[in-house]
Amino acid sequence: MVLFWDKSKWLINRTPGKDPLIARGLQKEQYAGIIRLAIALIAAVGFFSRRVEYAIAFALFISVIFIALFFFA
């Protein structure tokens, strides 16, 4: 079911700060969860292969450095 056929009406009736599908204020929890998941993944892989664990950790470290360089430069 389409509520608005006319795009101009859709643009007028849209309120940018009130979208219920966008979680506001949960960014810190999301980042913490992503970091925990990454650490758990590295630990699980490291349980089976120490070389792969070191390779993943090195790649993440280099990625963080490049992201910081491009973001702050």
Side-chain angles (χ1 to χ4, degrees), residues 14-44:
R14 186 172 169 213
T15 55
K18 308 267 182 181
D19 193 355
L21 297 177
I22 298 176
R24 305 265 182 217
L26 294 177
Q27 287 83 12
K28 291 179 185 177
E29 290 85 0
Q30 290 172 350
Y31 288 136
I34 290 169
I35 290 171
R36 287 180 191 163
L37 185 63
I39 291 171
L41 177 68
I42 292 172

Side-chain angles (χ1 to χ4, degrees), residues 7-65:
K7 192 171 186 174
S8 64
K9 286 183 183 178
W10 181 78
L11 292 173
I12 291 170
N13 291 328
R14 186 172 169 213
T15 55
K18 308 267 182 181
D19 193 355
L21 297 177
I22 298 176
R24 305 265 182 217
L26 294 177
Q27 287 83 12
K28 291 179 185 177
E29 290 85 0
Q30 290 172 350
Y31 288 136
I34 290 169
I35 290 171
R36 287 180 191 163
L37 185 63
I39 291 171
L41 177 68
I42 292 172
V45 169
F47 180 73
F48 296 110
S49 173
R50 193 61 67 177
R51 283 187 192 174
V52 175
E53 178 187 10
Y54 290 150
I56 292 173
F58 180 72
L60 286 173
F61 179 71
I62 295 297
S63 298
V64 167
I65 289 174

